[in-house]
Amino acid sequence: MPPKVLGDVFKAMRPGIDERLLVGYQDRDDGAVYQLDTETALVQTVDFFTPIVDDPVDFGAIAAANALSDVYAMGGQPLTALSLVMYPYKTWPLELLQQIVAGGTEKIAESGCLVVGGHSVGDEEIKFGYAITGRVAPDQVWRNQGARAGDALVLTKPLGTGLLATAVKRDLLPATALEDALVSMKRLNRDAAACAKKFPIHAATDITGYGLLGHLVEMLAGSGLGARVRVDAIPRFAAVDEAVAVGAKTGAARTNRAFVVEHGLIEDAVLEKHAPVLFDPQTSGGLLFALCADAAEDLVRDCRKKEIDAAVIGTVSSSPGIGCLA
């Protein structure tokens, strides 16, 4: 659902008040954090969606990697997973669901997390994902806010999953155009988070449905700060420009743009040229970090040693608004 719609929904909810609740839903962060004692806090998050690829095993793996990502984005370690299954079991073969679950279970196991149960509902449209519980030291929680003027912005995965999936689904591009993105979507953000733990991270989030600029806006919300994004430095999948050229579009990109415009987007020719990628909703996208500029290249170097396609993509500015530079 679009950010503005969710904001209206949140107005009807009464926020929980407890000194042990370090991060709640009203913070619009990647997950909730609840402190158990001086050494341990729980990270809780949930994510599920409809199939983004045709292969059921791949779909299950992507859904799992995507759900786990929020825990990594908060500096946590995943512990347990509850599966969420919506499936037309009366009309579709159960073997298909078994393959989806198998793909998800294998990816959860790769993270060191345990599937401990779940919930299922008969539904006409397939949806699958997980609720994940992780742990983190209370003084080591990464928040999606806290960036400082002069910070560098580091992104750890290329952009373009929404555009490529749409292009392939609509037969605008061959299935091979999605291959690189498929590998990326199935890759856990665990290694990128582990690299970042060596550095003083001021803010962190993962890039998913709101697109790069949508999540960047959330990172800067209420701080009085802005950002300057170097679009030519942003990694993107090889076939993304081709997907744009053949007319691939997503509805979420339009709502993402509307959300960012409300928060001071600087619209110019550079933005217009790259808008399809900058607003593209991502599935199991990379992590976005704000950290001291003098440490950013070291983080990128460490990530690339792990074959992570990380890059410095911009800076946090003392001037409000988000500007795009060629």
Side-chain angles (χ1 to χ4, degrees), residues 30-31 43 45-47 65-76 206 208:
D30 294 304
V43 182
T45 184
V46 59
D47 214 312
N66 189 75
L68 290 161
S69 182
D70 285 337
V71 175
Y72 295 128
M74 302 198 77
D206 63 336
T208 51

Side-chain angles (χ1 to χ4, degrees), residues 63-106:
N66 189 75
L68 290 161
S69 182
D70 285 337
V71 175
Y72 295 128
M74 302 198 77
Q77 174 191 355
L79 296 175
T80 61
L82 295 168
S83 59
L84 300 166
V85 177
M86 283 132 274
Y87 190 80
Y89 67 94
K90 293 182 180 179
T91 56
W92 284 61
L94 287 181
E95 290 79 9
L96 185 66
L97 178 56
Q98 289 172 336
Q99 293 177 62
I100 294 171
V101 171
T105 301
E106 183 176 355

Side-chain angles (χ1 to χ4, degrees), residues 164 167-169 171-179 239 242:
L164 291 173
V168 170
K169 182 177 181 179
D171 294 324
L172 299 174
L173 291 178
T176 53
L178 192 58
E179 287 179 352
E242 188 177 356

Side-chain angles (χ1 to χ4, degrees), residues 187-207:
R187 180 165 188 173
L188 298 174
N189 278 323
R190 175 184 57 194
D191 291 342
C195 289
K197 285 182 181 292
K198 304 172 188 176
F199 302 92
I201 301 298
H202 297 154
T205 190
D206 63 336
I207 306 303

Side-chain angles (χ1 to χ4, degrees), residues 4-230:
K4 187 178 186 306
V5 173
L6 289 179
D8 292 340
V9 171
F10 289 156
K11 293 175 184 177
M13 299 172 65
R14 180 180 300 174
I17 300 175
D18 188 318
E19 63 181 9
R20 292 167 295 183
L21 183 62
L22 304 183
V23 183
Y25 74 84
Q26 64 271 28
D27 297 296
R28 301 290 293 270
D29 218 310
D30 294 304
V33 181
Y34 186 86
Q35 185 170 349
L36 296 179
D37 53 42
T38 57
E39 297 181 350
T40 306
L42 294 180
V43 182
Q44 294 180 288
T45 184
V46 59
D47 214 312
F48 63 95
F49 47 76
T50 56
I52 188 173
V53 294
D54 290 335
D55 185 276
V57 176
D58 285 342
F59 169 51
I62 292 168
N66 189 75
L68 290 161
S69 182
D70 285 337
V71 175
Y72 295 128
M74 302 198 77
Q77 174 191 355
L79 296 175
T80 61
L82 295 168
S83 59
L84 300 166
V85 177
M86 283 132 274
Y87 190 80
Y89 67 94
K90 293 182 180 179
T91 56
W92 284 61
L94 287 181
E95 290 79 9
L96 185 66
L97 178 56
Q98 289 172 336
Q99 293 177 62
I100 294 171
V101 171
T105 301
E106 183 176 355
K107 188 58 61 173
I108 293 288
E110 180 185 333
S111 75
C113 191
L114 298 173
V115 178
V116 295
H119 186 67
S120 61
V121 174
D123 197 340
E124 292 305 307
E125 188 173 27
I126 299 172
K127 305 175 189 73
F128 182 70
Y130 292 92
I132 308 290
T133 297
R135 68 181 172 199
V136 65
D139 61 350
Q140 295 179 18
V141 177
W142 289 338
R143 301 289 305 275
N144 69 351
Q145 296 184 16
R148 305 173 187 176
D151 278 355
L153 298 169
V154 173
L155 180 65
T156 67
K157 281 186 182 182
L159 299 180
T161 61
L163 285 164
L164 291 173
T166 299
V168 170
K169 182 177 181 179
R170 296 179 181 174
D171 294 324
L172 299 174
L173 291 178
T176 53
L178 192 58
E179 287 179 352
D180 290 345
L182 182 60
V183 172
S184 178
M185 287 188 287
K186 290 192 293 183
R187 180 165 188 173
L188 298 174
N189 278 323
R190 175 184 57 194
D191 291 342
C195 289
K197 285 182 181 292
K198 304 172 188 176
F199 302 92
I201 301 298
H202 297 154
T205 190
D206 63 336
I207 306 303
T208 51
Y210 296 164
L212 173 64
L213 294 191
H215 287 286
L216 180 56
V217 158
E218 290 197 321
M219 181 179 280
L220 301 171
S223 66
L225 301 174
R228 300 299 178 262
V229 177
R230 293 164 40 205

